[in-house]
Amino acid sequence: MRRMNLTRAFTLLEPGPVVLVTTWDGRKNNVMTISWTMVVDFTPRFAITTGPWNHSYAALKRTRECVMAIPTIDLLDEVVGIGTCSGADTDKFARFGLTPVPGAAVKAPLVAECLANVECRVVDLVRRHDIVVLEGVAAHLDRRRRERRTLHAVGDGTFIVDGRRLDRRKRMASKLPAGL
Amino acid sequence: MRRMNLTRAFTLLEPGPVVLVTTWDGRKNNVMTISWTMVVDFTPRFAITTGPWNHSYAALKRTRECVMAIPTIDLLDEVVGIGTCSGADTDKFARFGLTPVPGAAVKAPLVAECLANVECRVVDLVRRHDIVVLEGVAAHLDRRRRERRTLHAVGDGTFIVDGRRLDRRKRMASKLPAGL
């Protein structure tokens, strides 16, 4: 997993993949499945919806750090498993065979098995909507990985897999951020 | 285009498709392409990132209404075209051959050519992050449509097309909202 340019990090989240969000509470790692995410700026800045109903929220709020890891389709059963148990009584890294790897800027771990990891700091908690605004501070991509298809949670228990990619770079040129 | 149950409307947005957001400013319809969206509640409630740099924002802020329309891959060139010109000097419905259809609850139009339309009211403007929180008030689905594959903007000028769908309904049952 090698560092990637932060300028491109928003392109990992913009297509709307389900993500794994890791935290470290000072003693233990934890990880949750989140599909309610949004890019809010190219800088990069992201929003996620979470709150006290997720065990990870306490660590996220206190440490103001997390990692957004991007799983691919070979990790579907881990994604579902992580999303249907709680860090309150489960060591999810151990249970689902995930490898925590130290990041560069935050104490929450990267997930070695994922395609990419974005280390984030909490910029703001918009409590009235349970929206957490994050700033990406480092990004990592596993360039040797063959499987790169991500998963899109529909919300009804089904997941759509990435299909083919259509190129409109030329026609979009006026709207793309510099350096992309 | 027939009404669909609002309980299921969040499943249109959760997978992260690029959307067309329509507004009506009291005189004219307008439409913009938005890929920075998020579900924030099942009720349904959504967040989008937009601001004064989008011509539609003034109408959205003043009328506190919009429609989120979900285009499919046959509309890719319309999606890109709408995203790279401005309603300040263009009648985008006319230019891109889209048909505005009256909704049930808001004055912003549905887009007849889209797979689905969600009529929304603005619940809150989180101005410090340019986040607009919307509540879905009516939803419509074109059940006769054959092409149902949506587009996921990567943000670099490419778009990922929906591939196959994987079913984990049974394992997710504990996490799905009632009545889904």
Side-chain angles (χ1 to χ4, degrees), chain A residues 46-117:
Chain A
F46 309 100
I48 67 175
T49 299
T50 180
W53 60 87
N54 284 321
H55 184 70
S56 299
Y57 182 70
L60 181 61
K61 198 174 60 168
R62 195 167 58 74
T63 64
R64 299 182 75 88
E65 293 182 351
C66 67
V67 169
M68 286 198 284
I70 318 288
T72 45
I73 71 164
D74 47 306
L75 294 170
L76 173 58
D77 289 322
E78 288 79 359
V79 164
V80 171
I82 289 164
T84 52
C85 70
S86 173
D89 55 20
T90 307
D91 176 343
K92 298 201 225 179
F93 275 88
R95 176 161 169 192
F96 297 104
L98 300 179
T99 311
V101 176
V106 305
K107 288 180 177 162
L110 315 183
V111 180
E113 288 75 14
C114 283
L115 170 63
N117 286 268

Side-chain angles (χ1 to χ4, degrees), chain B residues 89-108:
Chain B
D89 54 22
T90 308
D91 177 343
K92 298 201 225 179
F93 275 88
R95 175 159 169 193
F96 298 103
L98 300 179
T99 312
V101 177
V106 305
K107 289 179 178 164

Side-chain angles (χ1 to χ4, degrees), chain B residues 21-164:
Chain B
V21 176
T22 79
T23 49
W24 184 72
D25 69 1
R27 293 183 302 124
K28 287 180 304 186
N29 293 322
N30 194 13
V31 55
M32 61 178 167
T33 298
I34 291 277
S35 51
W36 294 1
T37 70
M38 169 171 76
V39 179
V40 295
D41 198 355
F42 295 115
T43 45
R45 207 169 255 216
F46 308 101
I48 67 174
T49 299
T50 180
W53 61 87
N54 284 322
H55 184 70
S56 299
Y57 183 70
L60 181 62
K61 197 174 60 169
R62 195 167 59 75
T63 63
R64 298 183 75 88
E65 292 181 352
C66 67
V67 169
M68 285 198 285
I70 317 287
T72 45
I73 72 165
D74 48 306
L75 294 170
L76 173 59
D77 289 322
E78 287 80 357
V79 165
V80 171
I82 288 164
T84 51
C85 70
S86 173
D89 54 22
T90 308
D91 177 343
K92 298 201 225 179
F93 275 88
R95 175 159 169 193
F96 298 103
L98 300 179
T99 312
V101 177
V106 305
K107 289 179 178 164
L110 315 184
V111 180
E113 288 75 13
C114 282
L115 169 63
N117 286 268
V118 184
E119 300 181 49
C120 295
R121 293 217 174 91
V122 173
V123 172
D124 194 14
L125 301 170
V126 185
R127 289 173 197 261
R128 66 188 183 279
H129 301 297
D130 299 309
I131 292 172
V132 179
V133 180
L134 302 169
E135 178 134 47
V137 292
H140 310 260
L141 181 67
D142 184 352
R143 288 179 176 75
R144 292 169 311 178
R145 215 171 193 296
R146 293 210 174 166
E147 180 58 80
R148 295 189 172 214
R149 290 174 297 168
T150 67
L151 294 159
H152 302 267
V154 176
D156 63 355
T158 67
F159 295 82
I160 295 168
V161 177
D162 282 351
R164 66 201 175 99

